[in-house]
């Protein structure tokens, strides 16, 4: 069974970008946060900070207590995207990239002599050297080499930072036994209890379970895929299709009230509509969500004829917002999601909407925002939050800087 896949995972990516960009942060514990407020959480931590137990999700007030010298840095997503693009270029100078899974994860296919262990290891080292020379020494990565993409990704988590782990057929399954169940992709908070009900509480027991048992636990074909992946077999998956477009934002203190939440949601909705049109989709359902400081949530949802018209979305949003409860609870985060998507060439035009007229309007607005930065032209409902909710990187979504950049000056 040859080494078919090379998977690359950048270590503490946001924090590493900060240290590469700003030398005064190097060698110091760094936490990247969405906004500078003690009530928010860390979204990334440097390895110097991780030594104190600080990680993604650690509340800022707690992180400060653990490490008084912690450098708190507001996230600068534009910088992370620029480094991502440079890293992609560096990797592709060594080997073509099959798929970019997220801002800090990519997968490559090994072919021919590249599949031989010595050559695969040499290639991995070449990638590391190229990144060091062309991008910077603080952008360290862990590389996994394995017979399939699943095991190659698993290998990247087995040695950090700056790791290089090879999993060959002769190593299986013993090399996996030191891992915890939740170290494996596909085994989260819900799946782990289900495995335990079947007496599977270690990776060793998981690897020894039959294909039929895993199919029963997973409730279908995904269990068989897990069985095959753990044995190094190449597993083909059906192509995925986009199902949602949305944005979320943890609000800074001045927006943590009803009017602030409304304005930020309005801005997020307008940004989502721009992305929807850019991807040539229409949406038939929208949801909005507000999370309060005490952990409680309020959510509403509405369906409508498929559209990509921002004005139609705003009308639907206003209907939902009219049900927002009178409460003393402080909103801390908001989210808007457009789903029930259809490609724009597959939906039926509405009798009640002048499609060509609204399309021309939004094309003009989108052009202005693309040329001068998002926020150059917008609908008034988001006016109070026009400088809030800037471009953000989601787990699997890398923003298009040309489309979503908020920095007007940089686009002039």
């Amino acid at each position: 069974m040859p080494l078919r896949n090379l998977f690359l995972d950048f270590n503490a990516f946001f924090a590493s970008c900060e240290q590469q960009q700003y030398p005064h942060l190097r060698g110091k514990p760094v936490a990247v946060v969405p906004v500078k407020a003690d009530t928010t959480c860390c979204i990334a931590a440097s390895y110097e900070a991780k030594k104190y137990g600080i990680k993604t999700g650690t509340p800022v007030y707690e992180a400060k207590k653990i490490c008084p010298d912690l450098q708190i840095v507001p996230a600068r997503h534009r910088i992370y995207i620029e480094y991502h693009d440079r890293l992609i270029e560096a990797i592709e100078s060594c080997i073509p990239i099959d798929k970019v899974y997220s801002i800090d994860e990519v997968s490559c296919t090994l072919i021919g002599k590249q599949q031989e262990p010595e050559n695969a290891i040499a290639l991995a080292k070449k990638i590391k050297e190229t990144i060091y020379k062309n991008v910077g020494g603080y952008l360290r990565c862990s590389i996994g080499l394995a017979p399939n993409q699943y095991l190659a990704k698993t290998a990247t988590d087995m040695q950090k930072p700056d790791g290089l782990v090879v999993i060959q057929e002769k190593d299986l399954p013993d090399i996996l036994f030191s891992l915890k169940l939740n170290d494996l992709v596909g085994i989260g908070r819900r799946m782990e209890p289900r495995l335990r009900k079947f007496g599977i509480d270690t990776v060793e027991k998981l690897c020894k379970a039959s294909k039929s048992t895993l199919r029963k636990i997973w409730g279908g074909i995904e269990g068989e895929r897990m069985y095959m992946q753990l044995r190094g077999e190449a597993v083909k998956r059906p192509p995925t299709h986009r199902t949602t477009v949305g944005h979320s934002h943890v609000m800074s203190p001045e927006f943590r009230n009803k009017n602030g939440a409304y304005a930020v949601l309005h801005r997020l909705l307008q940004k989502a509509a721009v992305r929807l049109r850019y991807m040539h989709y229409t949406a038939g359902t929208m949801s909005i969500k507000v999370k309060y400081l005490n952990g409680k949530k309020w959510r509403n949802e509405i369906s409508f004829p498929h559209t990509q018209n921002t004005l139609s979305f705003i009308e639907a949003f206003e209907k939902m917002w009219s049900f927002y409860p009178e409460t003393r609870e402080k909103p801390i985060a908001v989210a808007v999601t457009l789903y029930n998507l259809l490609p724009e060439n597959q939906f039926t035009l509405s009798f009640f909407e002048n499609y060509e007229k609204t399309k021309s309007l939004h094309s003009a607005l989108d052009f202005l925002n693309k040329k001068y930065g998002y926020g150059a032209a917008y609908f008034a409902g988001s006016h109070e939050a026009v400088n809030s909710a800037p471009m953000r990187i989601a787990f699997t979504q890398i923003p298009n800087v040309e489309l979503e950049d908020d920095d007007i000056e940089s686009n002039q």
Side-chain angles (χ1 to χ4, degrees):
M1 189 177 291
L3 297 174
R4 305 185 190 95
N5 288 87
L6 180 151
F7 200 94
L8 188 148
D9 182 354
F10 287 98
N11 307 144
F13 183 64
F14 289 1
S16 296
C17 289
E18 293 288 346
Q19 291 178 319
Q20 182 62 47
Q21 184 76 4
Y22 302 103
H24 71 277
L25 296 175
R26 296 175 184 176
K28 297 180 180 179
V30 176
V32 179
V33 299
V35 292
K36 263 204 168 182
D38 286 356
T39 50
T40 191
C41 295
C42 303
I43 59 174
S46 68
Y47 275 88
E48 293 86 355
K50 288 182 178 182
K51 291 178 181 178
Y52 289 88
I54 299 169
K55 56 185 179 181
T56 301
T58 301
V60 172
Y61 69 86
E62 184 179 311
K64 286 182 175 180
K65 289 180 181 178
I66 297 172
C67 179
D69 295 328
L70 185 66
Q71 304 292 306
I72 304 294
V73 179
R76 291 172 270 221
H77 292 259
R78 182 186 178 89
I79 291 174
Y80 312 150
I81 295 169
E82 290 173 354
Y83 272 111
H84 167 84
D85 292 342
R86 291 173 62 189
L87 289 165
I88 293 298
E89 184 179 351
I91 297 166
E92 290 209 307
S93 70
C94 303
I95 183 175
I97 293 173
D98 274 349
K99 185 174 180 179
V100 176
Y101 281 87
S102 65
I103 191 75
D104 61 351
E105 291 183 328
V106 301
S107 178
C108 307
T109 296
L110 301 175
I111 59 174
K113 291 187 177 181
Q114 291 176 339
Q115 296 180 339
E116 297 173 7
E118 288 185 4
N119 294 334
I121 292 171
L123 175 59
K125 290 180 178 179
K126 180 183 177 182
I127 293 172
K128 286 175 176 285
E129 290 171 3
T130 303
I131 290 171
Y132 182 88
K133 291 178 182 178
N134 297 351
V135 188
Y138 278 79
L139 277 302
R140 293 175 294 180
C141 63
S142 291
I143 295 178
L145 301 164
N148 62 29
Q149 182 263 320
Y150 184 86
L151 290 177
K153 176 175 171 55
T154 301
T156 63
D157 290 324
M158 296 172 71
Q159 187 183 98
K160 284 188 175 184
D162 202 25
L164 174 52
V165 174
V166 182
I167 297 178
Q168 298 186 62
E169 183 179 15
K170 63 183 178 63
D171 302 319
L172 296 170
D174 301 50
I175 195 172
L176 304 175
F177 292 170
S178 62
L179 301 174
K180 298 176 182 178
L181 284 172
N182 57 17
D183 289 334
L184 298 176
V185 176
I187 301 181
R189 289 180 297 176
R190 295 182 180 180
M191 181 54 64
E192 194 168 355
R194 289 169 64 178
L195 286 165
R196 294 184 186 280
K197 286 183 180 179
F198 283 79
I200 299 175
D201 55 8
T202 65
V203 173
E204 182 174 359
K205 291 180 181 178
L206 176 67
C207 291
K208 292 179 179 179
S210 67
K211 184 186 293 186
S212 60
T213 297
L214 296 190
R215 184 182 179 93
K216 187 175 181 180
I217 295 171
W218 262 269
I221 188 66
E222 198 58 40
E224 291 189 19
R225 290 189 179 122
M226 177 62 77
Y227 179 90
M228 297 165 66
Q229 287 172 157
L230 291 171
R231 285 155 178 77
E233 298 179 39
V235 175
K236 290 186 178 181
R237 294 179 176 274
T240 57
H241 302 280
R242 176 168 288 279
T243 57
T244 66
V245 173
H247 287 284
S248 62
H249 181 62
V250 177
M251 298 182 294
S252 53
E254 66 269 25
F255 289 100
R256 293 176 184 178
N257 52 65
K258 182 178 180 179
N259 291 337
Y262 170 88
V264 174
L265 276 169
H266 215 292
R267 175 164 166 74
L268 296 179
L269 174 57
Q270 292 181 48
K271 293 180 72 173
V274 172
R275 285 180 55 208
L276 188 78
R277 290 190 290 272
Y278 178 79
M279 295 184 293
H280 304 292
Y281 276 94
T282 64
T285 307
M286 175 169 55
S287 72
I288 57 176
K289 183 168 65 175
V290 178
K291 182 179 179 181
Y292 300 108
L293 195 58
N294 65 358
K296 293 182 179 179
K297 298 176 184 178
W298 175 80
R299 184 179 184 276
N300 205 346
E301 178 180 296
I302 192 170
S303 294
F304 38 76
H306 276 81
T307 185
Q308 54 182 208
N309 179 1
T310 301
L311 289 171
S312 297
F313 293 142
I314 291 174
E315 182 181 352
F317 168 68
E318 295 288 357
K319 289 180 182 178
M320 287 191 289
W321 191 253
S322 67
F323 293 97
Y324 186 80
E326 292 297 331
T327 176
R328 294 182 179 179
E329 302 297 342
K330 278 191 174 184
I332 188 173
V334 293
V336 60
T337 306
L338 300 173
Y339 54 103
N340 187 11
L341 304 188
L342 281 178
E344 64 180 0
N345 60 357
Q346 293 182 18
F347 85 108
T348 304
L349 295 177
S350 170
F351 286 111
F352 306 103
E353 181 180 323
N354 189 328
Y355 179 75
E356 291 302 325
K357 184 177 180 180
T358 56
K359 185 175 181 180
S360 297
L361 168 65
H362 292 114
S363 294
L365 291 174
D366 294 348
F367 172 78
L368 288 172
N369 285 316
K370 183 177 179 181
K371 184 174 182 179
Y372 297 109
Y374 189 84
Y378 54 88
F379 291 92
S382 65
H383 181 68
E384 297 300 322
V386 70
N387 294 317
S388 181
M391 180 174 63
R392 290 285 186 260
I393 299 167
F395 181 67
T396 59
Q397 177 65 40
I398 304 167
N400 183 322
V401 175
E402 186 179 4
L403 181 72
E404 300 181 50
D405 189 14
D406 305 85
D407 189 349
I408 293 177
E409 291 184 4
S410 69
N411 289 273
Q412 292 178 336

